[in-house]
Amino acid sequence: VDDTWALDDVELVIGSVCYKRVHPDHMSVYDFTYWTLEDTHPGNMVAAMEGEYNPIMKWMDLDNNVFLTYPSFPSGDVPNHSIGRWNTHSTKFPMLGRFGDTVLFVDLPNEIRLDEVAQHFGESSSIGGSGVVVCGSPYEAPNDPEEGYQFDVSTRRNIDLWDLSSQREHLWVMVGL
């Protein structure tokens, strides 16, 4: 007997609060552009050879639906996809946020922050400000514009340890960011 989904609908009620077991990516919004390309999703080439719609794009093309529900159970012409498949390939899709959240344009992943996206939502794709960072820290590496708008911090110590002796260092790293 396959117990993979044995706990699928578990709910725990404590007082008036209900907790339901869901996948960690439940309600997450991703950009699946990568899988619309001909040679990326395993079903794209098969669909093209059979004269069918791209299996990722068909939901938007046919139904004008921007939702792509992960097919963990077979339905209609969509075969079952194991959760292992999601775990293997999910790193190829930038996470945009969670369904219902408000996301600032500047907070989108670099590959999504395009002029076309900015224009669609009435935003500007340019980032304001002079881009000057002052008061560098010891061992600070310069920002690499090729990597987008991000900073990396490194120290001679292991900053994964949140002990009392390193609180001052952690505080100043956070202030610096």
Side-chain angles (χ1 to χ4, degrees), residues 17 30-31 36 56 66 68 92 94 98 102 109:
V17 179
Y30 290 89
D31 173 31
T36 65
I56 302 299
V66 297
L68 177 64
K92 298 171 183 158
R98 305 237 331 137
T102 299

Side-chain angles (χ1 to χ4, degrees), residues 99-110:
F99 184 72
D101 286 354
T102 299
V103 179
L104 298 175
F105 181 79
V106 71
D107 292 334
L108 290 172
N110 291 335

Side-chain angles (χ1 to χ4, degrees), residues 21-32:
R21 179 180 181 265
V22 295
H23 189 275
D25 291 327
H26 181 68
M27 301 297 284
S28 295
V29 177
Y30 290 89
D31 173 31
F32 277 82

Side-chain angles (χ1 to χ4, degrees), residues 157-158 160-168 170:
R157 298 178 63 194
N158 180 359
D160 290 336
L161 300 175
W162 286 92
D163 56 36
L164 291 175
S165 64
S166 59
Q167 280 186 354
R168 176 181 278 173
H170 295 301

Side-chain angles (χ1 to χ4, degrees), residues 35 41-43 70 79-90 93:
W35 252 357
H41 183 273
Y70 190 80
N80 177 35
H81 291 55
S82 73
I83 198 65
R85 186 172 175 166
W86 172 252
N87 295 336
T88 299
H89 297 287
S90 63
F93 317 116

Side-chain angles (χ1 to χ4, degrees), residues 2-167:
D2 182 11
D3 289 336
T4 305
W5 299 104
L7 298 175
D8 190 38
D9 290 323
V10 170
E11 292 181 0
L12 177 64
V13 178
I14 300 175
S16 61
V17 179
C18 177
Y19 300 91
K20 182 174 179 160
R21 179 180 181 265
V22 295
H23 189 275
D25 291 327
H26 181 68
M27 301 297 284
S28 295
V29 177
Y30 290 89
D31 173 31
F32 277 82
T33 301
Y34 172 80
W35 252 357
T36 65
L37 306 175
E38 187 175 313
D39 60 345
T40 55
H41 183 273
N44 292 354
M45 191 179 306
V46 173
M49 291 185 327
E50 294 177 357
E52 299 289 331
Y53 282 98
N54 177 302
I56 302 299
M57 295 172 54
K58 73 178 179 182
W59 309 109
M60 182 64 184
D61 291 348
L62 298 177
D63 300 332
N64 201 27
N65 186 353
V66 297
F67 294 96
L68 177 64
T69 303
Y70 190 80
S72 57
F73 296 103
S75 63
D77 64 340
V78 180
N80 177 35
H81 291 55
S82 73
I83 198 65
R85 186 172 175 166
W86 172 252
N87 295 336
T88 299
H89 297 287
S90 63
T91 58
K92 298 171 183 158
F93 317 116
M95 183 176 175
L96 306 179
R98 305 237 331 137
F99 184 72
D101 286 354
T102 299
V103 179
L104 298 175
F105 181 79
V106 71
D107 292 334
L108 290 172
N110 291 335
E111 59 267 25
I112 303 298
R113 216 173 319 135
L114 305 172
D115 289 334
E116 306 91 271
V117 175
Q119 290 170 1
H120 179 80
F121 291 103
E123 290 285 334
S124 169
S125 60
S126 64
I127 304 298
S130 64
V132 175
V133 177
V134 296
C135 189
S137 302
Y139 315 110
E140 181 178 329
N143 192 32
D144 182 357
E146 299 279 322
E147 296 292 326
Y149 303 97
Q150 56 187 328
F151 289 93
D152 189 18
V153 176
S154 64
T155 68
R156 291 182 179 176
R157 298 178 63 194
N158 180 359
I159 62 171
D160 290 336
L161 300 175
W162 286 92
D163 56 36
L164 291 175
S165 64
S166 59
Q167 280 186 354

